[in-house]
Amino acid sequence: MIPQQKTALIIGAGPAGLMAAEVLAQAGFGVTIADQMPSPARKFLMAGKSGLNLTKAEELDPFCATFADVPPWFEAAIRGFGPVQVQAWARGLGQDVFTGSTGRVFPVAMKASPLLRAWLTRLAGLDVALNRRWQWTGWANDIAQFQTPQGPVDFAADVTVLALGGGSWRKLGSDGAWAAQFGADVAPFEGANLGIRRVWTPFMARHFGQPIKSIALVAGDLVSRGEVVITQHGIEGGGIYALTPALRGGGGLTIDFAPDLSIEQIRDRQLARRKGETLARFLKSALHLSPAKIALFQELVKSGQIADPVGVIKAVPFEFDGFAPMDQAISTAGGLRFEALDNWMLRARKGVFVAGEMLDWEAPTGGYLITGCLASGRAAAQAALDWTGTLEEIDT
């Protein structure tokens, strides 16, 4: 007798779901992907508009340390599919990559669409079926139920991987609506990797959209040397995104406008300041600050009524008025609690595994977020293979 092919259902066609589909299909499963949107990986494509930062060329220990408060099995997934493996995977899809000056790794094409096309072609070659506009509505016993353009559909599979995303970017399909199915097993969503709000004086309007580089932002125990952009409503960018956990916890924010100079070096230059030289001129000539950077510095010290501006240049307080709306966040903290899982599988529902942003983990942009999604999708699929005994068969 010919053994019956095992089947897998993947709910969610983002990077975690597509990676789980790839692993299971390569293991010989008949794989079906269901996604509620008209096209797959919409958030992945949106990330590609700014260059698609796939990972970061960094040693594994500091890379993994960025994923705070995750269980050992989640960290093991990152170590099993970290920066080196992500780069090799992209090259295997015909997408060469390069490493920028900060260690961030990008496709040479600097966008997501060529990689996604190659990935979907590979999955199609593995006979993976992709069903679009299939909205998951829950279970009836062990059968997944969907609302589709053709009407209600029930779908049974040997294993299921949920990769439904977090609670931001609703228009791209990551709306968090699935959380209602899990009750107290879901930690409340909070915005992550999002900008902060501030009401500017009219003086700042000319600098909206301008980047602020070569600064150090400090919140609590976190320090970020990333870039930020002045917007009409505050600041955003990788530099502030990395500090979201500390800022959510009520930590204050300060900016070091000259992180490569000591306060003694700055004071020496101040002593050599020409008589009658304006503060703006001094900041430009002696400290080489850009016009937008000077404007931001002056805005902050004036609003704080600081008598000795140069004396606080290493730690200028930045008062802000809260965060951008969660739906504008690149990702979210919160989600399905790790305690609800046993080796990536739901304790309450055997054969159902979970991956990606719908889990309660948080990582900054800069390559960590996408790598975490890919690695978790791979690990959840491997756990499914292990649970069905297929992983042992493959190893043998």
Side-chain angles (χ1 to χ4, degrees):
M1 294 180 62
I2 299 174
Q4 185 176 3
Q5 183 185 37
K6 292 185 175 71
T7 58
L9 170 65
I10 314 296
I11 306 179
L18 294 179
M19 180 57 76
E22 181 176 342
V23 171
L24 288 163
Q26 287 175 339
F29 275 61
V31 179
T32 298
I33 303 172
D35 193 88
Q36 67 177 346
M37 301 303 288
S39 57
R42 287 196 166 194
K43 191 173 177 183
F44 186 70
L45 288 171
M46 177 64 76
K49 290 192 174 182
S50 59
L52 192 62
N53 185 188
L54 285 171
T55 191
K56 187 173 184 181
E58 187 174 49
E59 294 295 324
L60 264 179
D61 284 347
F63 190 92
C64 290
T66 308
F67 297 81
D69 302 322
V70 297
W73 47 269
F74 192 100
E75 181 175 330
I78 304 297
R79 290 185 178 276
F81 200 76
V84 172
Q85 291 82 1
V86 170
Q87 293 177 68
W89 167 79
R91 292 190 181 102
L93 286 168
Q95 302 302 306
D96 202 6
V97 297
F98 72 96
T99 303
S101 59
T102 61
R104 297 182 176 192
V105 178
F106 302 87
V108 170
M110 286 299 288
K111 52 186 177 180
S113 51
L115 188 150
L116 180 60
R117 282 196 299 270
W119 199 2
L120 293 175
T121 298
R122 174 188 286 179
L123 292 174
L126 292 168
D127 293 326
V128 173
L130 173 59
N131 292 318
R132 308 161 194 260
R133 292 191 173 94
W134 275 38
Q135 184 175 20
W136 177 63
T137 57
W139 284 284
N141 297 320
D142 293 327
I143 299 175
Q145 296 186 308
F146 296 90
Q147 188 59 245
T148 79
Q150 290 74 39
V153 170
D154 291 347
F155 197 102
D158 293 307
V159 296
T160 298
V161 177
L162 302 178
L164 291 157
S168 65
W169 290 87
R170 183 176 301 272
K171 66 181 181 180
L172 301 180
S174 182
D175 57 14
W178 56 265
Q181 301 279 348
F182 295 92
D185 283 336
V186 176
F189 289 118
E190 295 183 281
N193 293 301
L194 79 171
I196 56 176
R197 295 296 184 98
R198 180 183 171 92
V199 178
W200 302 113
T201 65
F203 170 74
M204 290 297 294
R206 73 185 74 175
H207 300 289
F208 293 163
Q210 293 296 307
I212 305 295
K213 304 178 181 181
S214 301
I215 57 174
L217 300 100
V218 181
D221 295 330
L222 299 181
V223 180
S224 172
R225 286 292 301 264
E227 178 180 316
V228 298
V229 175
I230 301 172
T231 72
Q232 181 180 355
H233 302 293
I235 60 172
E236 59 183 49
I240 197 65
Y241 297 160
L243 303 181
T244 308
L247 295 174
R248 278 202 318 263
L253 174 66
T254 62
I255 300 180
D256 181 350
F257 280 81
D260 299 318
L261 295 174
S262 67
I263 189 61
E264 291 76 20
Q265 291 173 310
I266 294 170
R267 286 300 194 192
D268 288 343
R269 298 184 189 192
Q270 188 181 23
L271 289 173
R273 183 177 175 181
R274 293 194 301 271
K275 185 178 180 180
E277 185 178 43
T278 65
L279 175 61
R281 183 66 184 171
F282 168 75
L283 295 172
K284 179 180 180 181
S285 61
L287 302 184
H288 310 295
L289 271 60
S290 68
K293 200 171 174 182
I294 291 170
L296 178 60
F297 177 79
Q298 291 182 310
E299 175 87 357
L300 297 179
V301 298
K302 286 179 181 177
S303 65
Q305 298 181 339
I306 297 172
D308 178 20
V310 177
V312 300
I313 198 167
K314 300 286 292 177
V316 181
F318 188 109
E319 299 293 334
F320 62 98
D321 306 312
F323 297 95
M326 189 171 69
D327 197 48
Q328 296 177 14
I330 292 174
S331 61
T332 47
L336 195 63
R337 302 180 195 273
F338 289 118
E339 293 80 5
L341 302 179
D342 179 14
N343 191 27
W344 302 91
M345 184 169 67
L346 286 173
R347 294 182 186 275
R349 191 168 289 275
K350 301 302 181 183
V352 177
F353 300 80
V354 185
E357 282 189 66
M358 68 180 291
L359 287 169
D360 185 14
W361 60 280
E362 179 178 4
T365 57
Y368 304 100
L369 189 60
I370 289 180
T371 296
C373 288
L374 293 171
S376 68
R378 175 177 177 269
Q382 289 179 328
L385 294 177
D386 189 28
W387 184 73
T388 59
T390 311
L391 187 60
E392 183 178 335
E393 295 171 11
I394 293 172
D395 291 341
T396 302

